[in-house]
Amino acid sequence: MSGHASARARATACRTLGQFPTHPEINVRLREALSDVDPWVRYYACQALGRIRDEFSTSAIVALLRDNSGQVQVAALEALARLSGPEPLQALTLASASEDPDIQRAALVALGISKRHEARPILQRALGAGEPATRLVALSALAELGFSDDLRPLIGLTRDPDAAVRIAALGFLSSEVGQAASSALLDLLDHEPTRDDLVVALARPIAGRADTILAALQSAMEPLAVALVAALSRMNSVEAARALESALLSPNDASRRAAAAALSARGELAEKPLLERAALTDRDPEVRRLAAAVFTQ
Amino acid sequence: MNATLPLSPQVFAILSGLIEERTGIRYSEADRELLAERVSPRAIERGFDSLLDYYYCLRYDADAGAELALLVDSLVVNETYFFREADALRVVRDLVLAPQIEAGRRPRLWSAACSTGEEPLTQAMLLDAEGLLTRTELVASDISARALERARRGFYRGRALRALPDGVIGRWLFPEDDGVRAASRLLQAVDYRRVNLLDCAAVEALGTFDVILCRNALIYFGDERIKRVVATLSARLAPNGCLVIGVAESLLRFDTALACQEHRGVFVYRKTEP
């Protein structure tokens, strides 16, 4: 391959070969390409050998962490993410402390891809990096490992000064299954009930979340009750619709008011009997007024 | 077909950071798709099928500087036309340039983000109409090499001509093929240079000016960059010189060394202190 006149053609060949199932002849060619004169050929050879998990290349790829071209170093890190044994982990750990932010980020990404449990403390430390881009990369890498039971780092980043980090943290938190994530979102919303991004995050249709919101509605005051009902309205699931109906029967006036307003706005035929009853019999005049609104539309 | 490569939040963060660091052009998270659309053709042209690979090219490749210049060409919106916001150009002619000439000096004007040249050529026409063109020094610059190449060529068509007043065609612009060509004496009156406004040394090398036009360029920058660019431009203004920005732009929220003045409905920023 190195005899080919065009470096671009050789690079393209390496990139393409990495997309095929492993084959002894291909692996040999790719290993040869690790010492090609063109950095992009070495770059794609690294990527390809990583993708096909060619363990015979580990030492050669580790050696490329000292390559003169930065892009080859980052490709070597990416390749090491998919190779087993202590040597790749050691190299990735070392690179995660690099002063070059791109090398550091590439190492963090690689540690995430590696899914090794030893990577967790390194990635958690990197969540406190000064550069927002590094925090974002560390967060995404940690998501590859899973957040396990400790959601505190994730919760902390939902208040990050950088919008991209905040959005990513909320995205991960909102898609976490289980009571802990739902409770964390409820707690955040309790402190900042007007934050629309928190409402959107809470509205993600995760199993059990509608019930958690309904439980919170039993004691929520305004404006939290309004935010919780807004989350249920956005959730667009059968469980959320049932929770909204239950909220209209809640002993909590704030929840019934919010639910009456939301159900009236929806105007669903199936919910009209419930609203009619509330409009006629609810003890709170505001709930009666809001529930009756659907019949005047 | 214009393919758009995927741009993850992580790659967006590092790519937009690099672009802002090198050019001052700022992209917020809301612009992620826009940036992907703008960058993808360059990445594909270079043979990449991943924007992360392309980012590493911009970051590490031996040819990164030239590639970044080509990328900037595709990022900068060169949307402009002759006689755009022309009142401001008349005001600086009458308020600053003409008095300097009457006092026996040769004033200098810099069109700092001239794009394809419509602005400096409009200014040249307005000066020529009063017999002041040969007595004024006009410098025009842009970050985009491609835009400057078109400016030097002086051939225009279509939307660049949408606001032409009567009397321009046949006097300063001459029909040619499906467009017009600027009079050679106008083109020769403008000294075109490629300058990145974030490059303080390059800006300083241009010398001082009585008028700096920097219109509809600051909208691409974040607040910190705007402050930096305005400080750099202010330092290039001669005493009593003035900076003109776009009608939709304002420096009032920044603490600058310039005084905002209104003349005939046009706002200019004047250097009142040496």
Side-chain angles (χ1 to χ4, degrees):
Chain A
M1 197 185 318
S2 57
H4 198 287
S6 160
R8 187 163 169 169
R10 295 200 304 278
T12 305
C14 285
R15 189 172 65 195
T16 310
L17 286 175
Q19 289 157 7
F20 284 98
T22 181
H23 183 280
E25 178 67 15
I26 290 175
N27 296 6
V28 168
R29 295 291 178 204
L30 287 171
R31 282 178 217 143
E32 285 172 4
L34 290 177
S35 52
D36 195 282
V37 291
D38 184 81
W40 289 106
V41 178
R42 301 198 296 281
Y43 176 89
Y44 284 118
C46 271
Q47 283 190 344
L49 286 163
R51 240 172 247 144
I52 59 180
R53 300 179 189 276
D54 184 56
E55 303 286 349
F56 292 105
S57 305
T58 300
S59 296
I61 291 174
V62 168
L64 287 178
L65 293 175
R66 293 187 298 277
D67 195 282
N68 288 333
S69 300
Q71 68 266 49
V72 180
Q73 295 177 35
V74 294
L77 289 166
E78 187 188 323
L80 291 174
R82 296 180 170 88
L83 300 176
S84 59
E87 204 181 357
L89 178 64
Q90 198 179 6
L92 292 177
T93 305
L94 196 66
S96 70
S98 171
E99 287 183 2
D100 179 331
D102 283 302
I103 298 291
Q104 186 195 18
R105 287 173 200 140
L108 295 172
V109 169
L111 284 166
I113 294 169
S114 77
K115 297 199 190 316
R116 294 181 190 236
H117 70 89
E118 296 95 330
R120 185 177 298 282
I122 301 169
L123 295 173
Q124 285 182 334
R125 263 198 310 277
L127 294 178
E131 284 275 319
T134 306
R135 295 199 297 278
L136 185 60
V137 165
L139 177 60
S140 306
L142 201 54
E144 295 275 347
L145 297 186
F147 292 100
S148 111
D149 293 332
D150 185 8
L151 295 174
R152 283 172 302 177
L154 196 51
I155 294 165
L157 289 178
T158 62
R159 298 193 182 100
D160 195 274
D162 184 80
V165 178
R166 276 199 311 274
I167 291 166
L170 263 182
F172 289 128
L173 189 58
S174 70
S175 55
E176 278 285 305
V177 178
Q179 177 73 29
S182 297
S183 298
L185 285 166
L186 284 171
D187 192 43
L188 287 167
L189 198 60
D190 192 18
H191 285 90
E192 297 178 85
T194 55
R195 251 182 80 177
D196 198 46
D197 56 348
L198 288 173
V199 174
V200 173
L202 194 62
R204 198 144 181 176
I206 299 290
R209 187 158 291 167
D211 289 339
T212 307
I213 297 173
L214 180 60
L217 274 167
Q218 300 308 312
S219 57
M221 305 301 286
E222 286 178 355
L224 178 62
V226 174
L228 294 175
V229 164
L232 286 175
S233 301
R234 280 172 186 249
M235 205 177 274
N236 201 21
S237 69
V238 175
E239 291 80 11
R242 280 195 199 124
L244 270 178
E245 290 172 16
S246 299
L248 191 59
L249 304 172
S250 162
N252 180 0
D253 287 355
S255 294
R256 291 202 315 286
R257 285 177 192 169
L263 288 168
S264 281
R266 282 155 64 107
E268 295 283 339
L269 196 62
E271 290 157 355
K272 285 197 175 173
L274 194 64
L275 283 168
E276 189 174 12
R277 195 163 66 222
L280 294 171
T281 64
D282 197 282
R283 67 165 188 258
D284 183 80
E286 183 65 2
V287 174
R288 293 200 299 275
R289 186 184 70 78
L290 289 164
V294 74
F295 302 104
T296 58
Q297 283 166 16
Chain B
M1 189 182 74
N2 289 326
T4 300
L5 299 172
L7 181 57
S8 69
Q10 295 80 3
V11 178
F12 170 78
I14 55 177
L15 182 59
S16 61
L18 180 72
I19 290 168
E20 184 174 7
E21 177 194 313
R22 303 286 170 84
T23 67
I25 301 170
R26 182 173 212 178
Y27 288 91
S28 68
E29 176 63 28
D31 301 324
R32 181 143 58 97
E33 272 182 44
L34 174 75
L35 185 65
E37 282 170 18
R38 293 270 172 87
V39 177
S40 292
R42 267 311 312 153
I44 292 165
E45 171 71 22
R46 275 295 300 254
F48 295 107
D49 61 0
S50 139
L51 290 179
L52 180 60
D53 292 349
Y54 183 62
Y55 166 77
Y56 288 136
C57 168
L58 292 171
R59 181 76 169 75
Y60 293 119
D61 197 82
D63 204 19
E67 182 54 41
L68 187 68
L70 290 171
L71 175 63
V72 167
D73 280 342
S74 55
L75 295 178
V76 177
V77 180
N78 298 314
E79 165 64 16
T80 187
Y81 50 93
F82 285 102
F83 288 86
R84 182 181 189 180
E85 299 165 21
D87 285 348
L89 305 185
R90 292 188 185 94
V91 163
V92 295
R93 177 193 63 188
D94 301 342
L95 179 75
V96 183
L97 302 175
Q100 291 273 351
I101 292 167
E102 279 168 27
R105 288 190 284 274
R106 183 177 165 80
R108 301 185 79 219
L109 177 143
W110 174 26
S111 170
C114 73
S115 185
T116 42
E118 289 87 338
E119 179 182 84
L121 289 180
T122 301
Q123 185 73 73
M125 292 174 203
L126 294 173
L127 287 166
D128 196 45
E130 300 296 322
L132 304 174
L133 179 60
T134 56
R135 298 157 75 184
T136 307
E137 187 178 339
L138 299 178
V139 176
S141 69
D142 200 86
I143 192 172
S144 164
R146 191 181 60 178
L148 284 172
E149 189 188 314
R150 286 174 54 191
R152 289 190 182 102
R153 215 180 301 145
F155 180 79
Y156 299 92
R157 60 160 79 90
R159 292 176 61 77
L161 311 174
R162 64 183 183 258
L164 281 186
D166 291 341
V168 172
I169 299 288
R171 185 174 181 188
W172 292 299
L173 298 176
F174 299 94
E176 185 179 305
D177 299 329
D178 58 342
V180 297
R181 184 166 299 281
S184 56
R185 64 195 169 87
L186 290 190
L187 291 172
Q188 284 160 10
V190 182
D191 177 9
Y192 287 105
R193 313 269 190 97
R194 179 155 182 259
V195 175
N196 180 345
L197 294 178
L198 295 182
D199 184 345
C200 296
V203 171
E204 195 175 343
L206 295 174
T208 55
F209 295 89
D210 301 285
V211 175
I212 298 176
L213 308 174
C214 187
R215 304 192 299 169
N216 307 302
L218 299 177
I219 49 172
Y220 298 111
F221 299 157
D223 281 1
E224 284 308 308
R225 303 279 176 182
I226 292 176
K227 280 191 236 173
R228 211 173 110 191
V229 169
V230 169
T232 306
L233 297 181
S234 303
R236 295 297 95 217
L237 278 177
N240 280 319
C242 72
L243 170 68
V244 182
I245 61 174
V247 292
E249 298 166 318
S250 170
L251 300 180
L252 292 177
R253 69 184 186 281
F254 304 113
D255 183 23
T256 73
L258 306 173
C260 183
Q261 298 179 350
E262 189 260 328
H263 297 275
R264 297 181 346 218
V266 172
F267 290 92
V268 299
Y269 292 85
R270 202 95 192 244
K271 189 170 187 175
T272 52
E273 293 170 15

